[in-house]
Amino acid sequence: VTVRSKKKACTSKSLQSNNFFAEKLLSWFKTHQRELPFRKDKNPYKIWLSEIIMQQTRMAQGIPYYERFIETFPEVKSLAESDIEKILKLWQGLGYYSRAHNLHAAARQIVKDHNSSFPDQYEELIKLKGVGEYTAAAIASIAFGKPVAVIDGNVYRVLARYFGIELPIDSNEGKKYFKQLANDLLDKKYPGEYNEAIMEFGAVQCLPKNPNCKECPLQTTCHSFLNQCADQFPIKAKKTPVKNHFLYYFLILNHDGEIMVKQRDNTGIWKNLFEFPVLESQTEIPIKNLPSFLKKSLDIPSELKLSQRTIFTQKHQLSHRNIYASFIKIEPKLSLQFLPQGNRWVKTSEFHGLPVSKLMQNFWESSIWNKKK
Ligand code: SF4
């Protein structure tokens, strides 16, 4: 299978066929677009909220979150005025919690700097916390009709396959090239609709695996279809190595049946979320060594004999990290007065109300915990 190797060939094709390409996409979009709650109007707040929620999230998973956010915070002002714990609780289970923190910060920026109205210029939108080139282009074009092309994973894939572009999408040269091409192809009269169309086309038709080439309106002019090489595009230069991360969570109860929890600090992917006291390591640690660590880190009197029992283990996959989590029950129960700095005792019935990571949520909801508590 040959792939196109000269980017000039791709450029000339794009310039010749941009009207054809845009027209086909727009007409496909009219009949194939999914009915999505944030498409009902062109409200920039709703578009922004949906874009932030849907980043790194499947549509089916993200929609209920979007609906809950809109119901709780119908406008940007109410989101800005909320405390972060309420936002984190609503976000719970979506992962990549920095998005929730950015959502809050950007809402406050809009209230403070823009009198609670979204700016309509790309250059102003991109200054909002957590809003990158893609989201700024989506809001500017869909809500305000500005001619700025969006480029996300779907757009890279559709363009790379259709034009047979072999420049890596993660190289500087590739990024520049795709950006130029995307803007050349953009329908300047209907930029918002065109942007939605190409993203939707990537999400529904030109799928990462098994694209529906047989029923594709671009088939007769698509490089990948004509050369049967869709699986070779888009091209990436480097693979990010996947690292292992081991977490050992300690379930420590007091005589009143309360459980010890701690709020994470203001850094990392789970910042400000609640969890049990934890040992984190890049390598696996023998379970029998854990009580001595625990004694040291929580300052538990050395004469108290601790025993441990693993009650739940889970592998949690993030984009570049494998997380191996073990939940370890510690015996005996401790006295209520014993509370290391930074920790707190909470009633198990109150634990549900705290914002926690998906990992903690899975554990808490598991029947294992309910049976053994
Ligand atoms: S023919 Fe296949 S590879 Fe080409 S644009 Fe259509 S779905 Fe994508």
Side-chain angles (χ1 to χ4, degrees):
V1 177
T2 53
V3 295
R4 188 164 302 190
S5 59
K6 289 180 188 150
K7 66 176 180 174
K8 275 197 173 161
C10 301
T11 313
S12 63
K13 181 170 181 177
S14 76
L15 293 174
Q16 280 164 16
S17 52
N18 57 356
N19 282 346
F20 171 84
F21 184 80
E23 277 165 20
K24 286 282 179 196
L25 279 183
L26 284 168
S27 108
W28 174 90
F29 188 57
K30 279 197 175 77
T31 50
H32 290 80
Q33 64 173 299
R34 292 167 293 180
E35 207 172 294
L36 301 172
F38 40 87
R39 286 222 180 106
K40 286 182 186 146
D41 55 50
K42 304 291 178 202
N43 181 321
Y45 172 60
K46 292 181 179 174
I47 293 165
W48 167 67
L49 191 59
S50 67
E51 291 297 346
I52 303 291
I53 288 174
M54 298 307 164
Q55 285 166 15
Q56 290 140 327
T57 301
R58 284 177 296 106
M59 193 65 82
Q61 188 199 2
I63 286 174
Y65 281 88
Y66 167 81
E67 285 173 335
R68 281 198 290 274
F69 263 89
I70 285 292
E71 203 185 313
T72 314
F73 307 116
E75 68 224 0
V76 72
K77 202 159 180 282
S78 50
L79 181 62
E81 285 166 358
S82 167
D83 59 55
I84 186 66
E85 285 188 9
K86 188 170 177 186
I87 294 171
L88 288 173
K89 190 65 200 161
L90 270 185
W91 194 269
Q92 187 167 304
L94 262 184
Y96 302 99
Y97 288 82
S98 58
R99 291 182 291 166
H101 288 277
N102 289 339
L103 210 58
H104 194 213
R108 290 180 163 195
Q109 267 177 285
I110 292 162
V111 169
K112 186 169 162 277
D113 303 338
H114 301 280
N115 201 18
S116 303
S117 291
F118 266 77
D120 62 359
Q121 298 296 325
Y122 174 87
E123 293 72 20
E124 288 301 315
L125 287 163
I126 206 161
K127 290 182 193 161
L128 299 173
K129 188 96 173 135
V131 171
E133 288 184 16
Y134 161 76
T135 310
I139 302 169
S141 62
I142 300 169
F144 301 112
K146 306 287 179 195
V148 203
V150 295
I151 307 177
D152 69 348
N154 287 319
V155 176
Y156 273 124
R157 186 171 59 256
V158 171
L159 296 183
R161 283 177 176 169
Y162 182 75
F163 293 102
I165 304 165
E166 68 163 15
L167 284 172
I169 59 171
D170 52 350
S171 66
N172 285 340
E173 196 190 357
K175 282 182 193 155
K176 218 170 131 194
Y177 181 76
F178 276 92
K179 189 172 179 180
Q180 182 63 51
L181 177 58
N183 277 296
D184 286 347
L185 293 166
L186 181 72
D187 186 312
K188 308 290 187 294
K189 210 167 158 199
Y190 304 107
E193 207 177 336
Y194 169 85
N195 278 336
E196 285 191 283
I198 190 166
M199 290 191 286
E200 187 76 343
F201 187 79
V204 172
Q205 182 84 24
C206 195
L207 295 157
K209 283 185 186 151
N210 304 322
N212 186 6
C213 299
K214 275 191 188 149
E215 294 165 34
C216 178
L218 294 171
Q219 189 195 72
T220 52
T221 46
C222 173
H223 171 84
S224 290
F225 179 74
L226 297 173
N227 293 284
Q228 292 297 296
C229 59
D231 59 343
Q232 294 184 25
F233 294 103
I235 289 169
K236 281 193 181 170
K238 43 185 181 272
K239 276 196 173 157
T240 314
V242 177
K243 286 188 183 155
N244 289 334
H245 194 69
F246 295 86
L247 297 172
Y248 300 94
Y249 287 108
F250 299 109
L251 280 93
I252 305 169
L253 292 152
N254 66 26
H255 294 298
D256 280 9
E258 294 170 325
I259 194 155
M260 193 184 289
V261 297
K262 188 174 184 170
Q263 189 168 24
R264 285 185 83 96
D265 65 12
N266 203 22
T267 56
I269 56 165
W270 290 329
K271 66 179 177 182
N272 299 134
L273 298 183
F274 287 85
E275 61 186 10
F276 308 129
V278 63
L279 167 61
E280 303 191 34
S281 169
Q282 304 305 318
T283 53
E284 202 169 353
I285 298 176
I287 299 290
K288 65 177 171 43
N289 295 349
L290 293 173
S292 61
F293 157 79
L294 191 62
K295 275 190 173 173
K296 256 189 235 151
S297 69
L298 294 187
D299 215 9
I300 294 175
S302 56
E303 61 276 12
L304 190 68
K305 199 168 162 17
L306 296 183
S307 67
Q308 82 288 337
R309 181 165 50 93
T310 306
I311 56 171
F312 189 75
T313 55
Q314 192 186 13
K315 184 178 173 190
H316 190 69
Q317 222 158 354
L318 300 177
S319 51
H320 301 118
R321 220 195 291 192
N322 289 328
I323 293 182
Y324 297 91
S326 302
F327 290 81
I328 295 143
K329 190 155 185 196
I330 296 293
E331 306 279 3
K333 288 179 179 165
L334 300 180
S335 84
L336 189 59
Q337 285 69 36
F338 177 81
L339 195 58
Q341 212 189 358
N343 292 273
R344 67 167 97 160
W345 292 116
V346 295
K347 289 193 171 52
T348 51
S349 57
E350 286 168 5
F351 187 81
H352 266 299
L354 298 175
V356 297
S357 67
K358 177 84 177 147
L359 187 68
M360 292 289 291
Q361 187 189 354
N362 285 350
F363 167 71
W364 196 251
E365 287 171 358
S366 71
S367 53
I368 295 163
W369 162 249
N370 292 332
K371 272 182 210 153
K372 308 255 169 139
K373 73 184 175 183

